[in-house]
Amino acid sequence: MILKKSWTLPTITIVCLSCVFGLYWAAASRKTFRLPTTTSPPKRIVSLAPNLTEILFALGLGENVVAVSNNCDWPAEAVSRKKVGTFWQPNTEAIIASKPDLVITLRFEQQKAVADTLNRLGYKVLTLKVEEIEELFTAIQKMGEAADCIERAEKLAGSIRKKTNDLQSKYGLANKVKTLWVVQVEPLRIAGRSTFVNEMLELAGGENAIGPTIGQYPQIGTEELLACGAEVIIQSAMGASNIDRQQQAAESFWSKFAALPAVKNNRIYVVNPDTALRLGPRLPEGIEIIARCLHPDTAMEKHNVALQTR
Amino acid sequence: MAEFLTPKNLVIKIVVCSAVLAVVMCLCALVGTQRISLENVLAGPGQGPGENTDYEIFVGVRIPRVILAALAGAALACAGVILQAILRNPLADPYILGISSGAGLGVIIAVLSGITWSFWAGSPITVFAFAGATLTVWLVWYIGHLAGKSQVTSLLLAGVVINAFFSAVIMFLTSILKSHQLRSTTLWLMGNITEKDPSVLWVSAVCILAGILGLFSICHRLNVLTFGQEEAKGLGVDPAKTRFAAFGLAAFITAIAVSLSGLIGFVGLIIPHAVRLVFGPDHRQLLPVSAIIGGAFLVIADTVARTIVAPAQLPVGVITAIAGGPFFLVLLAKYSRKVSWLK
């Protein structure tokens, strides 16, 4: 060894680092075992997803919501709440700084990492999976339990269920309309059968024009598209603004597939994704928007439908 | 080089760099989207959560994150030094032998299978990324060896081909992922530092530091190896053994770094070159200094990533590439006449 002496330095560094780490670890793990101090209903709630925020406000807990994600834009009051990062990358610091006594997150990797950190620090975190319509009702129930308002939760869940059932009996029994739900045009991506969009389509009396696929929102080719025989095309807008312009763009895009019944009969609708694609208390409104696109005769004229979808 | 590397000289350089790293870590821990006061932090934890948020943010969020960034940066920079040396290729970085795609494949399999168990407080993503990286490295090494004596070229080729193949598999799997899973994987593939459990941090810190120490102990052999295989043999250094040890350790620390923070590009490529340009090519100095500078660089990059678009955050890989590229070009323009590559 040429540089034997230099061994002492890394060794000392390692020992020092070990001490720092050890101390830090001990401090952190001591905190882990601390029990939540409050048992009263939460007064300061943080929500990390738009649909969870909507549920909280629908449960009448809006007053107690202190911070929301940047993507939470409904109801209007939610916009004025403190922002704690995006839905995809919540900011742990900002969440802690808003001193929550309940944090509600969705169950996927990014939010789970945040939930773990908060749990470790002793915060109360409720993690929910809301990917199917049935899970929405479970989520409302669990939020009601966590926020100590079970009765209101049951009432809310009941009213959403009733409205949904009413819509189903109004539109769901008619002839199934073959529908293509487009999430992106270049490349063409559509909602497959294992999505909640598909559930909404079926409740609104539609049928997915594309059969079972491997992916949830698969990319499809022109051949498949021309063979699917879609009678209606519903396209979710990119953002809630400029829907008129997006409608025109969609019509000109689809004009090259004139063989499709939907294009031939000019039944292309661009809908606002914030209303139609959010698994929250506005679910019945979403279903109704879809139903009006699918069954304009049962609802009203196409022109009005287009206005209503905005 | 102008001066001969003496132990004293080296120790002084390491101490100065470590001090810089310590200062950088402290400053970065005090910077964030929330304004916190040092006074409140020093007051210690309150009675319950929410009592002293400054302390919780500092100890529970920022310190683990700064430590993680420093560890990942040090590991990647060291692995870059080693791979550039043993492959004798200035374009080599820690990912050149397939670690990135192997770990990426592991992550996608973890996400796709929806496994939720955790192993020693490591999330499934961490565990699968580590397993994927290690298996890929083993495969590359094995195939590279099969091809015969001229190991370096066949190793590189095996690495590049396995990288391409696994990337294709990743593409296929991402096309069938659910949308929110896809987003998680994309963030991971761009390099994303988050807060980790202290025990995970602790274990990986020990592993990475041990790996760096191990590499440091064979640095003089790497110096000899850069003269060429035959010359190294003549000087009593077994090229095959040295290469195996260096490769194994570099792969090990890269796998840990990758499994903790995703694919952070650029650190492993530019930090070794930058240090070589400024301090010279002697590996006994290049390796420790690169480790420290790499750590400091990633700590700063992560601090920028978590504050610049506050309260949202950016993946740290974006910052390392945007900030590192021009910085490196400036260094290159300034120093390149003085040094020739990998002498």
Side-chain angles (χ1 to χ4, degrees):
Chain A
M1 292 291 173
I2 308 168
L3 284 170
K4 270 225 168 104
K5 268 192 190 165
S6 60
W7 272 102
T8 47
L9 190 81
T11 320
I12 294 170
T13 321
I14 288 265
V15 171
C16 293
L17 276 176
S18 308
C19 295
V20 173
F21 276 114
L23 283 175
Y24 163 70
W25 191 23
S29 51
R30 194 173 59 235
K31 301 190 88 188
T32 317
F33 300 113
R34 196 169 56 200
L35 289 166
T37 44
T38 49
T39 45
S40 54
K43 293 277 182 294
R44 300 180 64 82
I45 307 176
V46 172
S47 154
L48 295 187
N51 56 341
L52 299 178
T53 306
E54 287 192 28
I55 297 173
L56 284 171
F57 276 86
L59 285 173
L61 296 167
E63 291 283 299
N64 300 342
V65 176
V66 289
V68 295
S69 78
N70 292 14
N71 309 76
C72 298
D73 54 0
W74 186 276
E77 301 149 67
V79 183
S80 64
R81 295 293 191 270
K82 195 184 154 195
K83 300 284 186 281
V84 288
T86 59
F87 172 71
W88 294 108
Q89 282 193 303
N91 184 327
T92 320
E93 286 182 19
I95 297 171
I96 294 175
S98 54
K99 303 190 175 184
D101 49 12
L102 177 64
V103 182
I104 307 183
T105 72
L106 284 183
R107 181 173 302 167
F108 66 93
E109 200 51 44
Q110 254 66 40
Q111 299 210 345
K112 206 181 144 287
V114 175
D116 286 346
T117 308
L118 291 172
N119 254 328
R120 206 160 49 232
L121 292 171
Y123 286 92
K124 193 174 164 195
V125 183
L126 178 65
T127 303
L128 298 165
K129 179 166 173 271
V130 191
E131 285 159 29
E132 292 164 21
I133 290 180
E134 209 43 53
E135 287 170 346
L136 171 66
F137 298 117
T138 328
I140 293 175
Q141 181 74 28
K142 283 190 179 161
M143 284 164 81
E145 283 165 18
D148 208 15
C149 57
I150 299 173
E151 275 175 36
R152 267 179 286 163
E154 275 169 4
K155 214 173 133 196
L156 177 66
S159 98
I160 296 174
R161 206 184 279 276
K162 185 173 175 296
K163 283 185 200 160
T164 312
N165 289 344
D166 288 350
L167 285 168
Q168 189 183 15
S169 50
K170 187 172 170 192
Y171 298 104
L173 303 174
N175 283 344
K176 297 282 179 206
V177 182
K178 273 193 179 176
T179 312
L180 192 68
W181 188 292
V182 179
V183 288
Q184 184 191 330
V185 283
E186 271 163 326
L188 190 62
R189 272 182 187 278
I190 56 113
R193 296 212 167 196
S194 56
T195 57
F196 76 89
V197 177
N198 193 66
E199 286 185 89
M200 289 170 78
L201 269 183
E202 282 177 7
L203 288 172
E207 182 190 21
N208 203 328
I210 302 285
T213 46
I214 306 175
Q216 258 199 321
Y217 295 92
Q219 194 179 331
I220 61 164
T222 315
E223 202 177 313
E224 180 81 28
L225 175 70
L226 292 176
C228 77
E231 296 165 79
V232 171
I233 292 171
I234 301 181
Q235 193 171 317
S236 40
M238 295 288 171
S241 55
N242 290 328
I243 291 191
D244 278 319
R245 211 190 307 150
Q246 295 194 43
Q247 173 83 36
Q248 284 169 12
E251 280 170 16
S252 74
F253 171 82
W254 288 103
S255 61
K256 59 187 162 189
F257 302 105
L260 274 178
V263 182
K264 224 181 287 170
N265 304 324
N266 193 20
R267 294 192 62 189
I268 299 158
Y269 306 94
V270 174
V271 299
N272 182 346
D274 293 346
T275 335
L277 277 178
R278 211 175 263 182
L279 208 38
R282 288 189 290 164
L283 174 74
E285 290 171 45
I287 297 175
E288 184 141 25
I289 289 173
I290 299 171
R292 284 186 188 143
C293 298
L294 301 185
H295 308 281
D297 310 334
T298 326
M300 52 187 89
E301 292 293 316
K302 188 207 162 180
H303 183 67
N304 292 337
V305 174
L307 286 177
Q308 287 292 321
T309 52
R310 271 153 222 174
Chain B
M1 285 313 292
E3 53 193 296
F4 183 71
L5 183 70
T6 59
K8 195 180 154 201
N9 205 327
L10 176 64
V11 169
I12 290 173
K13 276 181 185 157
I14 293 180
V15 169
V16 169
C17 289
S18 306
V20 170
L21 174 64
V23 170
V24 164
M25 284 173 78
C26 290
L27 286 181
C28 286
L30 286 171
V31 176
T33 51
Q34 301 302 315
R35 197 177 282 269
I36 63 171
S37 82
L38 198 57
E39 205 179 320
N40 287 348
V41 172
L42 294 174
Q47 291 302 305
E51 197 98 332
N52 185 351
T53 49
D54 284 6
Y55 177 85
E56 279 164 16
I57 289 173
F58 189 80
V59 174
V61 181
R62 288 197 192 153
I63 289 193
R65 208 171 155 149
V66 164
I67 291 176
L68 177 60
L71 283 174
L76 291 174
C78 274
V81 169
I82 298 301
L83 286 169
Q84 284 167 11
I86 57 177
L87 296 175
R88 306 184 71 184
N89 186 333
L91 283 177
D93 73 352
Y95 304 143
I96 200 165
L97 294 182
I99 289 187
S100 52
S101 54
L105 192 60
V107 166
I108 287 179
I109 290 172
V111 169
L112 200 61
S113 60
I115 293 171
T116 50
W117 50 255
S118 54
F119 174 75
W120 212 3
S123 70
I125 284 197
T126 314
V127 177
F128 272 71
F130 183 74
T134 328
L135 285 176
T136 315
V137 164
W138 174 79
L139 193 65
V140 170
W141 181 260
Y142 181 73
I143 292 174
H145 252 275
L146 282 184
K149 287 275 177 189
S150 59
Q151 279 165 17
V152 174
T153 316
S154 54
L155 206 60
L156 264 176
L157 275 176
V160 169
V161 171
I162 285 181
N163 232 338
F165 175 71
F166 280 179
S167 302
V169 177
I170 289 176
M171 297 271 212
F172 167 71
L173 290 176
T174 44
S175 67
I176 62 171
L177 278 175
K178 293 182 184 174
S179 55
H180 65 96
Q181 294 175 327
L182 188 65
R183 191 68 180 251
S184 311
T185 354
T186 317
L187 282 175
W188 188 90
L189 291 174
M190 285 196 280
N192 199 27
I193 294 179
T194 53
E195 303 81 30
K196 294 277 181 219
D197 193 88
S199 54
V200 174
L201 216 52
W202 167 245
V203 172
S204 36
V206 170
C207 292
I208 287 178
L209 291 178
I212 292 176
L213 268 185
L215 287 172
F216 185 62
S217 71
I218 55 169
C219 271
H220 62 285
R221 287 190 226 163
L222 288 177
N223 280 345
V224 177
L225 204 61
T226 49
F227 295 136
Q229 295 218 22
E230 296 308 316
E231 288 82 350
K233 267 184 200 157
L235 288 166
V237 171
D238 183 347
K241 261 188 195 164
T242 309
R243 214 181 275 131
F244 179 75
F247 181 75
L249 284 172
F252 176 66
I253 57 175
T254 311
I256 293 177
V258 161
S259 61
L260 288 176
S261 55
L263 301 180
I264 300 172
F266 242 65
V267 179
L269 181 66
I270 64 157
I271 296 294
H273 281 311
V275 174
R276 195 179 286 120
L277 283 171
V278 177
F279 290 97
D282 188 328
H283 286 99
R284 292 166 300 174
Q285 170 181 273
L286 183 57
L287 187 94
V289 174
S290 293
I292 297 167
I293 301 289
F297 175 68
L298 200 55
V299 169
I300 296 173
D302 181 52
T303 307
V304 174
R306 65 189 160 86
T307 50
I308 198 166
V309 290
Q313 303 178 42
L314 286 175
V316 67
V318 176
I319 304 292
T320 55
I322 287 181
F327 171 71
F328 179 66
L329 288 179
V330 169
L331 273 186
L332 188 59
K334 199 171 167 202
Y335 286 95
S336 57
R337 260 173 249 150
K338 291 192 195 167
V339 218
S340 62
W341 297 107
L342 292 163
K343 223 177 186 175

